[in-house]
Amino acid sequence: MVVATQSLEELCINSIRFLAIDAVEKAKSGHPGLPMGAAPMAFVLWDRFMKHNPKNPKWFNRDRFVLSAGHGCMLLYALMYLTGSDVVTLDEIKNFRQWGSKAPGHPENHITEGVEVTTGPLGQGIANAVGLAIAEAHLAAKYNKEDCKLVDHYTYVILGDGCNMEGISGEACSLAGHLGLGKLIALYDDNHISIDGSTDVSFTEDVSKRFEAYGWHVLHVKDGNSDLDEIAKAIEDAKAVTDKPSMIKVTTTIGYGSPNKANTAGVHGAALGGDEVKATRENLGWNHEPFVVPDDALAHFRKAVERGASYEAEWQETLAHYKTKYPQEAAEFERIISSTLPEGWDKVLPSYTPEDKALATRKHSEITLNALAPVLPELIGGSADLTHSNLTYLEVSGSFQKGAYQNRNLRFGVREHAMGAICNGIALHSHGLIPYGATFLVFTDYMRNSIRLSALSEARVIWVMTHDSIGLGEDGPTHQPVEHVASLRAIPNLTVYRPADGNETSAAYKVAVENTHGPTLLALSRQGLPNLAGSSIEAAAKGGYILSDSDGTPDIILIGTGSEVALCVQAAEKLTSEGKKVRVVSLPSWERFEAQGAEYKESVLPKAVKKRLAVEAGCTMGWCRYVGDEGGVIGVDTFGASAPANIVFEKYGFTVDNVVAKAKEILG
Amino acid sequence: MVVATQSLEELCINSIRFLAIDAVEKAKSGHPGLPMGAAPMAFVLWDRFMKHNPKNPKWFNRDRFVLSAGHGCMLLYALMYLTGSDVVTLDEIKNFRQWGSKAPGHPENHITEGVEVTTGPLGQGIANAVGLAIAEAHLAAKYNKEDCKLVDHYTYVILGDGCNMEGISGEACSLAGHLGLGKLIALYDDNHISIDGSTDVSFTEDVSKRFEAYGWHVLHVKDGNSDLDEIAKAIEDAKAVTDKPSMIKVTTTIGYGSPNKANTAGVHGAALGGDEVKATRENLGWNHEPFVVPDDALAHFRKAVERGASYEAEWQETLAHYKTKYPQEAAEFERIISSTLPEGWDKVLPSYTPEDKALATRKHSEITLNALAPVLPELIGGSADLTHSNLTYLEVSGSFQKGAYQNRNLRFGVREHAMGAICNGIALHSHGLIPYGATFLVFTDYMRNSIRLSALSEARVIWVMTHDSIGLGEDGPTHQPVEHVASLRAIPNLTVYRPADGNETSAAYKVAVENTHGPTLLALSRQGLPNLAGSSIEAAAKGGYILSDSDGTPDIILIGTGSEVALCVQAAEKLTSEGKKVRVVSLPSWERFEAQGAEYKESVLPKAVKKRLAVEAGCTMGWCRYVGDEGGVIGVDTFGASAPANIVFEKYGFTVDNVVAKAKEILG
């Protein structure tokens, strides 16, 4: 297929293709197939529809674009470069997949300004996009006025077969259909190829029909390789339907243009190789050297700069008008989108004394969320169908539903993984929004990758995880977390809190709200826990502190978290009555504690005091770090059991007597 | 609704209902709603269709029943008791949710013989069922003869809205539709209620249409509360369609019979309470004391005993006939279903010397799988669309597809979570089958709960996880595992192996195949690794061993796993050349090592040698256990980075020089 002269649009599309081909070739690593096949649809989208300001990737009212098929990131980097990004320069593209490049192997929002969300793990992106669309709908419902559309942008996604096979995408798209998110438009790169070959190997469902079943508006572009107008018309039709999300199935050829590798699995994830690069150049009539973009194509793409500046200027006028006419709403709006917390917001955090009623920390969490909700309108979230178990309902608002997008209670349904990615999308839409997602701690297993991504992409999300140990009782081992707190602590940049009482729960929320560079996860009890003498928000915010101390150097330090701190306190009383010098340390968050200065940490856990006993109803992995060679741990290293909580705790050794006995063993 | 005289069938159905109501009431804990609402469909299924032998729950050719809505387990326990199980007696039911009961809070196959799989976490059961159906289809295709249908049973599931919302079920059902698993029949308890209330809150998709899109045969029973014949007809219709799985949507009322709580979320997961129990008794005309089943109902149910004995006797005749006519196939069949490995099977495990070519351990895994495949016909498995990256294709067979169920390569598609649960189903179908599932190690995050359940339910599954560290290079942090090996080690009963070379990979497979009481997970490298002097299958099977030693007591012990063992060896050489006494220990599996005797462990890691350095390209959590207060760890506690592997390793400190430097620091 030799092309004599190419139209301007073909030049542009091939510019995208060859930047991808050449970058992958130079890196000898990467995924050229999708960029080559999806270049036409991406070009139409970015050229004719996407409203963004290449010079200000943080302009609030930009359309959001998500490449859910994140492996195809050279497509995104190419578009960013071509449209004038100051971040993804040609040098960065030449440095694709190399140390320090702003064009890394999969798109990372925290590395490359202009990338909205971190994708790569399939299905995450489309679910993030549902979150981005939820954020837009919510902010629009809250702030827009008849005469002032402050919030008005689309969320576009390109996803492929891989994303469509993943369960998380089904969950998210089912919810999006239910919510009628009309400004979410997904382009499904229908190329019939996945890593293992033709989709006939394992994926033969009727995807369009499934999306119709979800309540989406579904279109089909039969020739996604060449019919640009067909693609454009489909996007226009999609935009015209305002009460349903739209899925445009765009049939393409993966690796389009490569004479020998197009339409094969081989072109998905490996460089073409020198010979095939040459053959593709010949095939598509592309004479340019690697990384050289024809002037007229570049000039055309760069019109996005002027267009973008103009869009933003227009919006700034709208904002100015809004500020004059609606000063109160404007102040709140600007405060939120600038990620500024309101003055004195943390004064509403409840504090407690031991005289206050013993409550489950999930109950304290509910109280705290509801104390924060009126003061922090940016707080929005919900549970994966466990609202009245997780206790996450904000009384000051209603459920976020079609026709009621101003509401703040998100009803995710039994869709933990989608909930995770949706919360990430909300957090990354506007860094001021503070989403929270909740389920049982054991079901973090269902959403671990989205929790991981919240940490990797530095998204401020609050993960509210209740029923945190064998203490949940009768539901038994399928529901009782054992390894979860430890395994979550292992995730970099995830702050894990297991609060012991009301003050510690308030502290966890304080830390979570202020943690603008990452997520915080709260592990909360099902069962009631006493408010402890010695606890305070200030102390617990340090992650670890002395709850009660001995006169002089302790003989032994008891370290507890969550529901086991009270046990340590009781054991300490017993040991003290027998003449031992006991310090009790509460360590609700390892990460926060480690972030304190060396002096503080030494004051809480002095090196010289080697006899230590940690008590936590969870697996013992990692505790050696705090108890050392001479210390011990009472934990749970086997699965739980179905029985009333008090029986399970007793059988598993969580009794005052056992703590005392173990402490005495250590004391020798 | 007072019923004057009840038909025998109504008596039976209400017997189920009230056993559930009373058990939950006595325990003051549990889920009465589903048993009450699904009792009619479950009764019809067990009474008119289920072929099983209550006195021999392990009879090979029994129909399999899965309660995917595992919280409704009193439904299952009631049916088991009523049909004559020797395991679930009335006493066990009275002890529902109490310590040691065989009627725990969610069904656990390893606790209660007759329960096929462990459910509770939503969506797992229906995916297990796909695995059970795959196993049946595979064994039938392999062993059945024209005149001898040795393998011929159905897989029935009851699932609810919760399961249908979960992504894992969509993945599994899409695959089941593609595979045309005609003997899988799911009854969808369509009661429009989930924990958060009406499904209108978040789940308004057209489920039937979605299942049609998957290629299922879909039926609707409009009156699942009372029209037993309609239910029966639907099951018959479902059985008549042999080339598609069937989904029978059965519309019911949750908590049917409870005058005040039926059709509410409240009846889902809490005891009715004394007053409502009484009201329900009145409403349904049930005069019997708690746990009392009317004689005629019990007698009717107990006919299952005789029927079952007769089914099994008939099958034993078929088996006898088969053994006579097809002795070779029969021998293999019996060997497999009795979970007996063939004599000398492990002799095919390849062993290596340092002269053998350095290969990635994922490549060693491929070689080993293919060495085992001809010798172990019970080995069946595949990858979640990464076949040629995970290197898991068995050359001796083809792809398991419609019309080719005798094949052993399962093509899961990009559906990790379903793959996990499907493998569990295969393992639990016939304890002799050895399934394996593969993806990138980082994507264990997508399937963590099914890995956990393989451990909890003591299923012998082999998890083949490749691309195990920052060593995978350019794909970057979204793909580079950091916390994964540590977090998997934290799962009870999961044996984790991170082999360093070919011998250690063979050892991992030996352990995995012999591990009849649980799963084994292999973390394998993307990149080539040298075969190490001192490694052997026998030693590595112990989980940890001395790879190389000093003359006399070591000054320091270097402990490595996987790709870092070679680094330790090189560092040891350097240190030795400088006069230090260095021992190198390879510790491919913590769990196996811990299972060795105290003497052996002391011989490898003597307490007296306190100076230790562990080197592993993964998070450091937990290593303090092996290196102690005076030791150190070189690990990765931050996310990875996109760059060529050698650069990443160097930047992250995995160089001989850095290991040597750290060792010297420790030596002081």
Side-chain angles (χ1 to χ4, degrees):
Chain A
M1 191 214 343
V2 180
V3 179
T5 28
Q6 296 185 15
S7 67
L8 178 60
E9 290 186 314
E10 284 165 323
L11 278 178
C12 288
I13 290 168
N14 282 330
S15 294
I16 298 172
R17 287 193 174 116
F18 281 97
L19 279 170
I21 288 168
D22 293 334
V24 170
E25 193 62 30
K26 182 169 189 283
K28 302 228 166 308
S29 175
H31 305 74
L34 181 134
M36 292 165 74
M41 75 178 85
F43 171 71
V44 170
L45 179 64
W46 280 58
D47 187 58
R48 304 191 199 183
F49 294 96
M50 274 280 288
K51 285 197 174 129
H52 68 121
N53 183 355
K55 296 304 181 191
N56 182 13
K58 295 240 164 295
W59 167 44
F60 170 80
N61 203 37
R62 65 193 185 278
D63 286 334
R64 293 343 191 235
F65 173 75
V66 175
L67 183 60
S68 190
H71 55 275
C73 54
M74 262 315 306
L75 176 69
L76 175 57
Y77 300 148
L79 285 160
M80 289 174 75
Y81 159 64
L82 291 164
T83 51
S85 162
D86 289 330
V87 174
V88 184
T89 61
L90 198 60
D91 277 341
E92 298 293 354
I93 286 183
K94 287 174 178 173
N95 220 26
F96 175 61
R97 296 191 150 218
Q98 304 312 303
W99 182 265
S101 173
K102 293 214 183 288
H106 289 86
E108 301 179 51
N109 56 281
H110 50 293
I111 298 241
T112 310
E113 206 175 44
V115 168
E116 302 288 357
V117 293
T118 295
T119 55
L122 295 168
Q124 298 287 336
I126 174 67
N128 293 150
V130 172
L132 292 168
I134 285 174
E136 194 269 355
H138 175 65
L139 293 169
K142 273 199 69 167
Y143 294 107
N144 285 357
K145 306 289 184 191
E146 274 295 322
D147 63 332
C148 229
K149 278 193 137 189
L150 196 56
V151 183
D152 182 13
H153 47 270
Y154 283 80
T155 303
Y156 298 104
V157 194
I158 290 179
L159 77 162
D161 293 301
C163 290
N164 271 332
M165 284 191 251
E166 285 286 9
I168 183 179
S169 74
E171 293 177 7
C173 292
S174 172
L175 183 60
H178 166 76
L179 294 172
L181 296 170
K183 292 169 85 177
L184 172 63
I185 298 175
L187 284 81
Y188 162 33
D189 181 37
D190 169 47
N191 62 28
H192 283 283
I193 293 284
S194 68
I195 291 182
D196 268 25
S198 161
T199 48
D200 290 345
V201 170
S202 73
F203 184 53
T204 53
E205 61 174 63
D206 185 337
V207 179
S208 297
K209 189 172 196 173
R210 174 160 63 91
F211 273 77
E212 280 166 12
Y214 291 146
W216 284 52
H217 167 226
V218 179
L219 306 105
H220 183 201
V221 170
K222 296 182 181 54
D223 179 10
N225 294 324
S226 342
D227 199 334
L228 306 186
D229 289 336
E230 199 193 351
I231 295 171
K233 181 168 191 320
I235 297 175
E236 274 154 16
D237 285 352
K239 291 178 74 171
V241 172
T242 57
D243 63 343
K244 294 179 175 187
S246 297
M247 196 277 277
I248 307 169
K249 187 169 93 163
V250 186
T251 302
T252 66
T253 302
I254 189 174
Y256 181 93
S258 161
N260 302 303
K261 296 193 173 187
N263 203 30
T264 68
V267 79
H268 157 87
L272 294 184
D275 292 342
E276 193 62 19
V277 171
K278 191 158 173 285
T280 307
R281 274 185 152 76
E282 276 160 24
N283 194 32
L284 293 179
W286 193 255
N287 308 323
H288 306 279
E289 286 300 298
F291 304 108
V292 169
V293 176
D295 291 338
D296 29 4
L298 193 60
H300 180 81
F301 273 115
R302 290 289 160 91
K303 287 183 182 169
V305 173
E306 199 183 311
R307 279 202 310 266
S310 163
Y311 290 141
E312 180 168 359
E314 207 180 304
W315 182 78
Q316 291 291 351
E317 276 180 35
T318 307
L319 176 61
H321 175 72
Y322 189 91
K323 282 166 86 162
T324 317
K325 230 183 150 191
Y326 310 101
Q328 207 169 344
E329 292 95 321
E332 187 181 273
F333 173 80
E334 286 200 295
R335 181 183 69 65
I336 289 177
I337 71 168
S338 67
S339 196
T340 313
L341 293 168
E343 200 66 34
W345 69 275
D346 54 345
K347 297 200 185 346
V348 305
L349 291 168
S351 46
Y352 302 83
T353 67
E355 289 67 50
D356 291 312
K357 186 170 189 233
L359 296 172
T361 47
R362 63 172 169 142
K363 187 68 186 170
H364 283 299
S365 166
E366 180 183 52
I367 293 167
T368 307
L369 279 170
N370 276 280
L372 290 172
V375 165
L376 295 178
E378 50 261 66
L379 191 63
I380 173 172
S383 161
D385 200 59
L386 294 170
T387 307
H388 304 297
S389 293
N390 297 147
L391 303 181
T392 44
Y393 197 79
L394 305 180
E395 295 296 336
V396 76
S397 186
S399 289
F400 179 97
Q401 296 285 4
K402 208 187 299 193
Y405 292 146
Q406 72 284 357
N407 287 331
R408 296 156 62 185
N409 288 295
L410 301 172
R411 315 308 293 275
F412 290 106
V414 190
R415 306 180 176 106
E416 297 81 10
H417 206 184
M419 171 176 75
I422 286 169
C423 285
N424 291 346
I426 294 171
L428 296 172
H429 175 276
S430 299
H431 288 261
L433 286 174
I434 307 179
Y436 64 92
T439 183
F440 288 155
L441 179 64
V442 73
F443 299 137
T444 50
D445 280 355
Y446 272 62
M447 53 184 289
R448 212 173 146 83
N449 200 253
S450 41
I451 292 175
R452 176 176 219 256
L453 285 169
S454 70
L456 176 60
S457 53
E458 302 182 9
R460 175 178 44 179
V461 183
I462 307 179
W463 302 117
V464 182
M465 300 299 166
T466 73
H467 294 61
D468 72 337
S469 77
I470 52 173
L472 65 83
E474 291 95 330
D475 268 351
T478 54
H479 283 59
Q480 291 165 355
V482 165
E483 70 277 17
H484 300 73
V485 172
S487 72
L488 289 159
R489 285 174 178 144
I491 299 177
N493 200 37
L494 176 66
T495 301
V496 178
Y497 253 91
R498 188 164 183 260
D501 67 1
N503 289 330
E504 294 201 356
T505 305
S506 289
Y509 272 101
K510 178 165 164 58
V511 167
V513 168
E514 290 173 343
N515 186 9
T516 48
H517 288 290
T520 309
L521 186 144
L522 278 61
L524 306 164
S525 70
R526 175 191 190 220
Q527 69 281 16
L529 303 175
N531 289 295
L532 303 163
S535 81
S536 69
I537 298 177
E538 193 193 347
K542 295 194 172 109
Y545 63 102
I546 299 169
L547 188 72
S548 70
D549 213 353
S550 50
D551 275 325
T553 311
D555 296 323
I556 186 168
I557 302 176
L558 304 183
I559 310 169
T561 79
S563 41
E564 287 65 71
V565 179
L567 205 57
C568 290
V569 168
Q570 292 174 271
E573 279 164 15
K574 200 133 194 263
L575 289 159
T576 304
S577 75
E578 291 176 28
K580 308 280 187 277
K581 295 197 163 106
V582 186
R583 167 181 291 186
V584 177
V585 165
S586 177
L587 198 59
S589 170
W590 290 18
E591 298 81 14
R592 283 290 292 182
F593 184 68
E594 289 307 317
Q596 305 307 311
E599 218 179 281
Y600 176 74
K601 290 189 279 187
E602 168 67 15
S603 75
V604 174
L605 293 172
K607 280 189 193 50
V609 181
K610 293 200 174 300
K611 302 208 180 281
R612 304 174 179 189
L613 173 60
V615 187
E616 178 174 70
C619 89
T620 59
M621 178 182 276
W623 273 109
C624 40
R625 160 189 217 178
Y626 291 112
V627 304
D629 292 347
E630 294 182 43
V633 190
I634 295 175
V636 182
D637 285 322
T638 58
F639 287 112
S642 170
N646 60 317
I647 305 275
V648 185
F649 268 137
E650 191 207 310
K651 298 279 188 184
Y652 279 70
F654 291 87
T655 62
V656 181
D657 285 350
N658 192 38
V659 176
V660 168
K662 268 275 182 307
K664 287 179 173 174
E665 253 181 67
I666 292 166
L667 284 162
Chain B
M1 189 212 347
V2 179
V3 179
T5 27
Q6 298 185 16
S7 68
L8 178 59
E9 291 186 314
E10 283 164 326
L11 279 179
C12 287
I13 290 169
N14 282 329
S15 294
I16 297 171
R17 286 193 175 116
F18 281 97
L19 279 170
I21 288 168
D22 294 334
V24 171
E25 192 62 30
K26 181 167 190 283
K28 301 229 169 307
S29 172
H31 305 75
L34 181 134
M36 292 165 74
M41 74 178 85
F43 171 71
V44 169
L45 179 63
W46 280 59
D47 187 60
R48 303 192 201 184
F49 294 95
M50 274 280 289
K51 287 197 173 126
H52 69 121
N53 184 354
K55 297 303 181 191
N56 183 12
K58 295 242 165 293
W59 167 43
F60 171 80
N61 203 37
R62 66 192 183 279
D63 287 332
R64 293 343 190 235
F65 173 76
V66 175
L67 182 61
S68 190
H71 55 275
C73 54
M74 262 316 305
L75 176 69
L76 175 57
Y77 300 148
L79 286 160
M80 289 175 74
Y81 159 65
L82 291 164
T83 50
S85 162
D86 290 330
V87 174
V88 184
T89 61
L90 198 60
D91 277 342
E92 297 295 353
I93 284 183
K94 288 174 179 173
N95 220 27
F96 175 61
R97 297 192 150 218
Q98 304 312 302
W99 182 267
S101 173
K102 293 214 183 288
H106 289 85
E108 301 180 52
N109 56 282
H110 50 293
I111 297 245
T112 310
E113 207 178 42
V115 168
E116 301 291 354
V117 292
T118 295
T119 54
L122 295 169
Q124 298 289 337
I126 175 67
N128 293 151
V130 172
L132 292 168
I134 284 173
E136 194 269 355
H138 176 63
L139 293 169
K142 274 199 69 169
Y143 294 109
N144 284 359
K145 305 290 182 189
E146 273 297 322
D147 63 333
C148 228
K149 277 193 138 189
L150 198 54
V151 184
D152 182 14
H153 48 270
Y154 283 82
T155 303
Y156 298 104
V157 195
I158 288 179
L159 77 164
D161 293 300
C163 289
N164 271 331
M165 284 190 251
E166 284 288 8
I168 182 179
S169 75
E171 292 176 8
C173 292
S174 172
L175 183 59
H178 166 75
L179 293 172
L181 296 170
K183 292 167 85 175
L184 173 63
I185 297 175
L187 284 81
Y188 161 33
D189 180 37
D190 170 46
N191 61 29
H192 282 283
I193 292 285
S194 68
I195 291 182
D196 267 23
S198 162
T199 49
D200 291 344
V201 169
S202 71
F203 184 52
T204 52
E205 62 173 64
D206 185 337
V207 178
S208 296
K209 189 173 197 173
R210 173 160 64 90
F211 272 78
E212 282 167 11
Y214 291 147
W216 284 52
H217 167 225
V218 179
L219 306 105
H220 184 201
V221 170
K222 294 182 184 53
D223 179 10
N225 294 324
S226 344
D227 199 334
L228 307 187
D229 288 336
E230 199 194 351
I231 295 171
K233 179 166 192 324
I235 298 175
E236 274 155 18
D237 285 351
K239 292 179 74 173
V241 172
T242 57
D243 63 343
K244 294 179 176 188
S246 296
M247 195 278 277
I248 306 170
K249 186 169 92 164
V250 185
T251 303
T252 68
T253 302
I254 190 174
Y256 180 93
S258 162
N260 303 302
K261 297 194 173 185
N263 202 29
T264 68
V267 80
H268 157 85
L272 294 184
D275 291 344
E276 194 61 20
V277 170
K278 190 158 173 286
T280 307
R281 272 187 153 75
E282 276 159 25
N283 193 32
L284 293 179
W286 194 254
N287 307 322
H288 308 279
E289 287 299 299
F291 305 108
V292 169
V293 176
D295 291 338
D296 29 4
L298 192 60
H300 179 81
F301 274 115
R302 288 289 160 93
K303 288 183 183 171
V305 173
E306 200 183 310
R307 279 201 310 266
S310 165
Y311 289 141
E312 181 169 357
E314 206 179 308
W315 182 78
Q316 291 290 354
E317 277 180 35
T318 307
L319 177 60
H321 175 72
Y322 189 92
K323 284 166 81 163
T324 318
K325 229 182 150 189
Y326 310 100
Q328 206 167 345
E329 292 95 320
E332 187 181 272
F333 175 79
E334 287 200 294
R335 180 184 68 64
I336 289 177
I337 71 167
S338 67
S339 195
T340 313
L341 295 167
E343 200 68 32
W345 68 275
D346 53 347
K347 296 197 185 350
V348 306
L349 290 169
S351 44
Y352 302 81
T353 67
E355 288 68 49
D356 291 313
K357 186 169 185 233
L359 296 173
T361 48
R362 62 171 169 143
K363 187 67 186 171
H364 283 298
S365 166
E366 179 184 51
I367 293 167
T368 307
L369 279 170
N370 277 279
L372 290 172
V375 167
L376 295 178
E378 51 261 65
L379 191 63
I380 174 173
S383 161
D385 200 58
L386 293 169
T387 306
H388 303 298
S389 293
N390 296 148
L391 304 180
T392 44
Y393 197 80
L394 304 180
E395 295 297 336
V396 75
S397 186
S399 289
F400 178 97
Q401 298 285 4
K402 209 187 296 192
Y405 293 146
Q406 72 283 357
N407 287 331
R408 294 157 62 186
N409 289 295
L410 302 173
R411 315 308 293 274
F412 290 105
V414 191
R415 307 179 176 105
E416 297 82 9
H417 207 184
M419 171 176 74
I422 287 170
C423 285
N424 290 346
I426 294 171
L428 296 172
H429 175 277
S430 300
H431 289 260
L433 287 173
I434 308 178
Y436 63 92
T439 182
F440 288 155
L441 179 64
V442 73
F443 299 136
T444 51
D445 280 354
Y446 272 62
M447 54 183 288
R448 211 173 147 83
N449 200 254
S450 40
I451 292 175
R452 178 178 218 255
L453 285 169
S454 69
L456 176 61
S457 54
E458 300 181 12
R460 175 178 43 181
V461 183
I462 308 179
W463 301 118
V464 183
M465 301 298 167
T466 73
H467 293 60
D468 73 339
S469 77
I470 52 174
L472 64 84
E474 292 96 330
D475 268 353
T478 55
H479 284 58
Q480 291 166 358
V482 165
E483 69 277 17
H484 300 73
V485 173
S487 72
L488 290 159
R489 284 174 179 143
I491 299 178
N493 200 37
L494 176 66
T495 302
V496 178
Y497 253 91
R498 188 164 184 261
D501 68 1
N503 288 330
E504 294 201 357
T505 306
S506 288
Y509 272 100
K510 179 167 163 59
V511 167
V513 168
E514 291 174 342
N515 186 8
T516 47
H517 287 289
T520 309
L521 186 143
L522 278 61
L524 306 165
S525 71
R526 175 191 189 218
Q527 68 279 19
L529 303 174
N531 289 295
L532 303 163
S535 82
S536 70
I537 297 176
E538 192 191 345
K542 295 194 170 106
Y545 63 101
I546 300 168
L547 189 71
S548 70
D549 213 353
S550 51
D551 274 325
T553 310
D555 295 323
I556 186 167
I557 302 178
L558 304 183
I559 309 170
T561 79
S563 41
E564 286 65 71
V565 179
L567 205 57
C568 291
V569 168
Q570 292 173 268
E573 279 164 16
K574 200 136 192 260
L575 290 159
T576 303
S577 75
E578 293 175 26
K580 307 279 185 276
K581 296 199 164 108
V582 186
R583 168 180 291 186
V584 177
V585 165
S586 176
L587 198 60
S589 170
W590 291 19
E591 298 81 13
R592 284 290 293 182
F593 184 67
E594 288 307 317
Q596 304 306 312
E599 220 178 281
Y600 175 73
K601 291 189 278 188
E602 169 67 15
S603 76
V604 174
L605 293 171
K607 279 188 192 52
V609 181
K610 293 202 173 299
K611 303 206 178 283
R612 304 175 178 187
L613 174 60
V615 187
E616 179 174 70
C619 90
T620 59
M621 179 182 275
W623 274 108
C624 40
R625 162 190 216 175
Y626 291 111
V627 304
D629 292 348
E630 292 181 44
V633 189
I634 295 175
V636 182
D637 284 322
T638 59
F639 288 112
S642 172
N646 60 316
I647 305 276
V648 185
F649 268 137
E650 190 206 311
K651 297 278 188 185
Y652 279 70
F654 291 88
T655 61
V656 181
D657 286 348
N658 192 39
V659 176
V660 167
K662 267 276 182 311
K664 288 178 172 173
E665 251 182 65
I666 292 166
L667 284 163

